[in-house]
Amino acid sequence: MGNSLAIGRLFGIPLRLHYSWFVIFSLVTISLSWEYFPANYPRWSDGEYWLLGIATSLLFFASVIGHELAHSVVSTINGVPVRSITLFIFGGVARISREATSPRAELAMALAGPLCSLLLSGIFGLIWFLLRDVSEPLGALGFWLAWINLLLAMFNLIPG
């Protein structure tokens, strides 16, 4: 994917940010900071809205990287090399060098991402459950990330 910035490597797979990612990152952060958190947590300060908006956005995109990384690791295990993972305005994409050699490998590669997102949804749901009465901001972060990861998993299962 052209017009992208190299940001590092995970498990030997190059990670990239397409310039369009900055648009969606800004929109998610603004939406959370100006709309979602103030509507649901009116007692917080403006600084808390922004801090939680930025943190939640960063963790959301870390979740997208985790989702794509799950596809990529299973792809590599099945002998299908991954050239890179790129985050862009519509989420993430893993660039593989060729198709899977068997239906079983293809199924494993396809399910890895949604299963990772379901796992992340459970982890963030647990964070919400354990911290909602201890720290409302951390509980709120966990709640939103649990739901968005669940939606990401379900959205990825639609083609199946």
Side-chain angles (χ1 to χ4, degrees):
M1 198 173 243
N3 298 323
S4 61
L5 224 44
I7 59 170
R9 296 175 87 81
L10 279 173
F11 300 104
I13 301 168
L15 299 176
R16 306 188 63 78
L17 284 181
H18 187 267
Y19 296 114
S20 64
W21 176 84
F22 294 98
V23 173
I24 196 67
F25 176 79
S26 298
L27 290 174
V28 169
T29 301
I30 289 168
S31 172
L32 289 168
S33 302
W34 282 357
E35 298 293 328
Y36 178 77
F37 289 134
N40 292 288
Y41 306 95
R43 295 184 316 267
W44 296 358
S45 69
D46 287 344
E48 286 175 303
Y49 293 137
W50 280 102
L51 182 63
L52 262 291
I54 291 167
T56 304
S57 290
L58 288 171
L59 287 170
F60 168 58
F61 286 105
S63 297
V64 173
I65 289 173
H67 176 103
E68 292 301 327
L69 200 54
H71 285 303
S72 299
V73 168
V74 172
S75 175
T76 303
I77 289 168
N78 282 285
V80 180
V82 178
R83 291 186 181 149
S84 66
I85 294 173
T86 304
L87 293 181
F88 68 112
I89 197 163
F90 297 115
V93 64
R95 282 186 53 222
I96 59 174
S97 57
R98 60 182 168 78
E99 293 297 316
T101 56
S102 73
R104 178 182 224 140
E106 183 73 32
L107 180 63
M109 290 164 49
L111 288 177
L115 289 175
C116 177
S117 294
L118 286 174
L119 176 66
L120 289 170
S121 179
I123 290 168
F124 286 119
L126 187 61
I127 289 170
W128 165 77
F129 182 76
L130 295 174
L131 297 179
R132 64 186 172 176
D133 295 329
V134 176
S135 170
E136 188 177 59
L138 290 178
L141 175 143
F143 182 81
W144 192 86
L145 288 166
W147 275 105
I148 201 70
N149 275 288
L150 180 61
L151 292 173
L152 180 61
M154 291 182 346
F155 179 77
N156 267 251
L157 290 173
I158 289 172

